[in-house]
Amino acid sequence: MLIRTHILALHPEWLISEAVCGEDAIELVDNERPDYCTMDINMPGISGTDAAEQILSKYPLIKMVIFSANIQETHRKRARSFGSILVAKPVTEASIALTLDYFTDSK
C-alpha cells in the first residue's frame, strides 16, 4: 500500500494493480501485461522471488523490482540472474525514487 501511495503521488496517470500472493501476481501479469512490477520477497504461497522469476521468464521486458528486508548478496545475485533488482526495505521515499529511476531509465 505504501508503494502504491508514493508512486501515485508522483505518477497519478499510472494504473496500479495489486496481488495478495505470488500466484495472483503471476495471473495478474498474464492478464494485464504491465510495463513495471514491484514484488515483495515474502508473500503467501510462492515467494515473490519465485513469482518474479516466472513472470520475467515469460515477459522479459517488464522492469521488476523486488523489495526485501533480507538484502543478502545471494538474494541480490538471484534477482539479477533473471533480470530484476532488489531494493532494501523499509519502503521509503528514497527506495521509491530508486525504483522509479529504474523503471523510467531507458533500456
Side-chain angles (χ1 to χ4, degrees):
M1 193 64 124
L2 186 57
I3 296 169
R4 175 190 197 100
T5 301
H6 280 291
I7 291 176
L8 284 176
L10 297 169
H11 293 280
E13 73 282 7
W14 287 11
L15 171 64
I16 296 180
S17 300
E18 294 179 286
V20 296
C21 66
E23 292 86 357
D24 286 350
I26 293 167
E27 183 178 340
L28 189 142
V29 169
D30 283 339
N31 292 331
E32 295 188 13
R33 307 285 171 85
D35 296 317
Y36 315 116
C37 187
T38 63
M39 193 79 65
D40 194 303
I41 275 185
N42 295 317
M43 298 180 75
I46 65 171
S47 73
T49 308
D50 290 342
E53 186 171 24
Q54 288 182 38
I55 289 166
L56 290 172
S57 71
K58 290 194 277 187
Y59 310 106
L61 297 180
I62 293 175
K63 288 204 171 184
M64 176 81 66
V65 171
I66 301 172
F67 284 90
S68 179
N70 186 351
I71 56 167
Q72 296 173 8
E73 188 57 27
T74 56
H75 292 293
R76 286 185 187 279
K77 284 181 182 177
R78 180 165 181 225
R80 283 192 304 265
S81 75
F82 56 79
S84 181
I85 65 167
L86 190 69
V87 173
K89 283 173 117 180
V91 174
T92 63
E93 287 186 30
S95 64
I96 295 296
L98 178 66
T99 299
L100 291 173
D101 286 347
Y102 176 72
F103 284 168
T104 58
D105 188 28
S106 60
K107 295 181 183 183

